[in-house]
Each structure stands twice: as structure tokens, then as C-alpha cells.
Amino acid sequence: MCRIRICNLHGFLRNLVPSPSTKAKAKAKAMHSLHQHQHQRKPKNKPITPFRSSNKNTNNMKKPEKLKEKKKKDEPREYMRNVIGKIYNTLKYSTWETAEQELNNLPVKWDSYTVNQVLKSHPPMEKAWLFFNWASGLRGFKHDQYTYTTMLDIFGEAGRVSSMKHVFQQMQEKGIKLDSVTYTSMMHWLSSSGNVDEAVQMWEQMKSKGCHPTVVSYTAYIKILFDNQRVKEATRVYKEMISSGVAPNCHTYTVLMDYLIGSGKCKEALEIFEKMQEAGAQPDKAACNILIERCSKVGGTELMTHILQYMKENHLVLRYPVFVEALEALKIAGESDTLLRQVNPQFYMDCSIRKNTNDSITVAADSPTNMDKELLFVLLKNKNVVAIDRLLTGMMDKKISLDHKVVSTIIEVNCSHCRPEGALLAFKYSVTMGISIERTGYLFLMGLLIRSNMFSKLVDIVEEMTRAGHSLGIYLASLLIFRLGCARKHTFATKIFNLLSDNHKCTATYTALISVYFSVRRVNKALEIYKTMCSKGFCPVLGTYNVLIAGLERNGRYAEAERFRKAKKSLHPNSDSQESVCIEGKICNLLFAVDVVL
């Protein structure tokens, strides 16, 4: 055995892969015992009861109990997953005021598991936070580390780092247990947002608090260090993981090999690929896809061949984008793609499907009905969104029209697969062919573009949606403008506000636009919009004053903020009767409530 030096990472990584015997020692043996329940023996001497009227009375008394048991058996049982699904739909498609009423009337036992499952169903972020606060006010319920960590993940995934830190601070203040899962989530999302130093501090804090890192924690931290070129630190942490008796898993090895391949050390990565199998950690489909994709980018065809051979033996396949990259890399290197074809025969079948589809387009160009059926066949039977993209491009060139429901379905399928390029292609097709798609198609597309931070296309979609006669709605319009403000896209927010009809320009949408200009520190413009709102006859509500006070204080204009705070206090005597507040005001108060973390 050669001695390992910290400065030589690659030699260190090769030799630190534990052997099968080492891994066997690292694992603890779990002992399971089966407890058998002994039934009580019936007494041998049974008393003989005479068959009299008393026995009849006993039978008559037992009948209602049997009927009740039979009724309970006949009643359909509602599974928890269905209950969670209903709650998710309520939060997603209803206003919070309506959703809150339905939640209060649900016959559900609100425990930690149920609340956590609702949050894990990923309702809209604002609704998730409102639901989280609503649950904290339930009698007998208290949030634990599971519900807090899930809420923390929701904010982290949305890029709301300040809100995520606020939730983490609440956990510390309330004495909620902080486990390795919570710390690992914090490290991951802090690193994803560019706060690498804070992620490192979180790792140190976890260890100083006596929380022992798991293999998931070690792997996540090593990946953070590798991604930020902190190789020596990553090496030290990996050595610490091995010495502490934590056995690396498949994902840990994948992180190591991914870094080595990216550094051009394919031979060292191949050694780890072979040794991890000897240690009992078999590469899975995800690991193989990551490694093949990395090999394609650096031209490591030799390592790619070994991985493809392993995939062939274990019946694993590549994702289509990775397959295309590997095919291109083999073509550039001048090597055969026979093994790649043997591992992924389904993509070559798809190629023949595309060819047959193009042939059918030529034959049925004069029959739109047949083309509808052909497109639905490709969409629903083959579930091949890439083939649909090519089919739509060809139909656009040949001016072949489809039914508006079919186009809406294509957009929804692409959105469910997180493919904004495919959804935008279908949208472009509908505009080119003059097809007005369904309202749900526009909403699906807008949601996907917001999640993908592709804000420039939102104005075109809202414009086409308005032209098609579909209403965006006051709630969605206000939410969309507010979301653009969070992304500092005040130009797009103003254009969308101008596209709204007159009956949609109300207190809620004006307040959302005011918040947009406060977010880009254009205070005078925000106050100008507020004056315009008042001149149009729209009275400010609590949500409007919340935005004005927060925006002015954030920009150091405390005197004006105090003036609006006094005006806000004047609303409180009349705020007890919610019936007097119009629906636009309620939406505004919902979106810009005091307890919402902005």
C-alpha cells in the first residue's frame, strides 16, 4: 500500500475507497426478534345456560352492535393520500380566505405527519407559508423539526434565502431540535445561492453542536467544496468521513468521480468505478448518466466504454439528452457507437417512429383530422416530447392546423416535464397558426416560465391570453406582478399591468405595482403610482399600507413611513367587520399580510 498525501488528491481518492471487509465492519448488525402473542386458553368446563327468554334478550342486545360493525365495514375508507391531494388542490386553486374556511371544516387530525405531507406536496410558496402559520395556531399542534425543515426547503428551492434563514432562526429560538437533515438542507441551499462561506459556517456549527454528520451530509458538503474548487478541504473531509466509520455510498463515489473526470483524470475515476463495485456499492442509473455526460464533455471515450459495458450488463439506460451528447462525442472521436446502440435501443426505435410520422404527414397533409389523431398517438402512446417538437416544427412549415385542445395538451405535457423550450414551441405554433388555446394552457406556460426565471416571454403570453379573451384574474395578475418585482423586472411588470383591463386595475394590482418599484428602489415612482391609485378612486387597505411602510423604511424615509403608519392605524376601528372590505381589498391584504416573509 502506498502512503497517501493530502496534497495529492487523486492518489488519495484512489486509495481511500474502503474494501469490502472495511465496509462490512462499518455497518452495524441489527437484531430483530419476533414476539409471539400467546392466546389465553378457553376454560374446559363451560357453564350450561338454559335456552330462555334472557338469552333472547341478550341476542337482541347484540344485534345493534353487529349492525354498527357492518355499517362501519360498508363505509368507504378514504386514504390519506387522497386527503392530502384534496388539500393540495384547495391551496393551489383557491384563495387563502376560501382555503382557510375549508381547512377549518375538514375532519382531519392535524398531526406533524399530516402537516408535513401537505407541505411536501409543494403547494404555491405563499400558500405554503400561510398554511404553515395557520397550522401553528391549531389547538394541540406544535411544529417539529420535520415540518420546519420542509418549510425551510420550500423557501430554499424558491431562492428566498432570507425567508429560509428566518425559519431556521425560529427553530433555534423555539428550541426545535436541529438534526443533520436540517443542517444539510441549509448548506445545500446556501451554496446554491452563492453563499459558500455561510454553507461552510453551517457545517462547522453542525459539528460544534454535537450533531453527527451522516453519509448524506458528508456527500453534500464534499460536493459543495469540489464545486467551489476547494479541493484540499474536500480531501480532508473525505478522509474524516472514512476515519469516523461512515461508509461512502453510490452518490459519494459519483461526486468523487465527477470531479476527477472534470479534471481530466479519467484513469483515476475508472479505478474508483471498479473499486466501488468491489466494496459493494453498485452504480445506479443516475450515477451512470452523470458520468457519461461528464465523459462526453471532456472526450473521455475510454471510460465511457467501460461505463456503457456496465450499463449493458445491468440493463440500465441513458436519458435522451445524455444519449445525444454521448453520440456526438463518439462521432467526434471517430469511434463506433455500436455499444451505445446496444445499451439504448429505444432511441433508435424513436428515430424510426419519427420517420414514419413524417411519412404520415406527407400522406395526410390535406386531412387535419387524421393529423390530430397522429399527433395524439405520438403524444399519448409514445410519450415522446422530443418527437412532438419535430412534428410541430414540420406542421408549422406546412401550415397544418391542429385543434386548440391538442395544442393546450402539448403545452401541459411539456410543462409537466419541465421543458420550457417545448412549451414555447407549441405556443409559437399557436400564434403562427392563429389558434387560441385554452386558459389552462396559458397558465401552465406562465407558471413554468416563472419557475425557470424566463420572464421576458411572460409579456407575450399575457398579451396573447388577453387577445384570446381569457381573463388573468385579479389574484393571478397581482401575484404575477409581485413575482416580477421579486425578480427586479419592473419593466415587464409595468407592461403586464398596462395590458390588464380597466376592471382588473384595482387596489390589489396597484399595490403589487407599488411593491415592484420599491424593490428596485425607485421610491418616487412608487409614491407616484400610489397617488394615481387614489385619484382613480381606489382606497388603500392594510396591505397597501404594509407595502408603503416597509418600502419607505427600507429606503430610509422614516418620516413618510410614520405618516402612513398613522393612516394605517385609523383603519383598525373599522377593520373588525370584514364584510365591508371588497374582494380586491381582501386579495391585497392576503398577498401583503404582515406575517408573510418577503
Side-chain angles (χ1 to χ4, degrees), residues 319-350:
R319 294 184 293 108
Y320 184 76
V322 180
F323 167 78
V324 172
E325 285 193 39
L327 187 64
E328 188 66 25
L330 292 172
K331 188 183 295 184
I332 293 173
E335 298 186 15
S336 173
D337 62 348
T338 303
L339 183 58
L340 182 65
R341 187 187 303 115
Q342 292 173 354
V343 174
N344 304 278
Q346 74 278 9
F347 295 130
Y348 288 90
M349 291 173 62
D350 288 340

Side-chain angles (χ1 to χ4, degrees), residues 92-93 404-416 423 426-427 430 436-449 451 461 464-466 468-473 476:
K92 184 176 181 181
Y93 298 109
H404 69 283
K405 292 184 179 180
V406 177
V407 183
S408 299
T409 305
I410 294 172
I411 292 176
E412 292 179 17
V413 170
N414 278 282
C415 291
S416 64
F427 173 74
S430 67
S436 298
I437 61 177
E438 294 183 336
R439 183 175 183 268
T440 54
Y442 290 112
L443 296 181
F444 267 95
L445 186 54
M446 288 165 59
L448 177 62
L449 294 179
R451 292 192 298 272
I461 295 167
E464 285 297 325
M465 184 178 180
T466 307
H470 298 303
S471 172
L472 190 60
L476 289 178

Side-chain angles (χ1 to χ4, degrees), residues 77-90 103 106-110 114 117-118 121:
R77 180 184 176 186
E78 191 169 15
Y79 292 97
M80 181 55 68
R81 63 174 178 269
N82 297 331
V83 175
I84 299 299
K86 289 179 181 178
I87 297 173
Y88 167 79
N89 290 328
T90 300
L103 290 171
L106 280 176
V108 175
K109 182 182 178 182
W110 294 104
T114 306
Q117 289 301 310
V118 173
S121 66

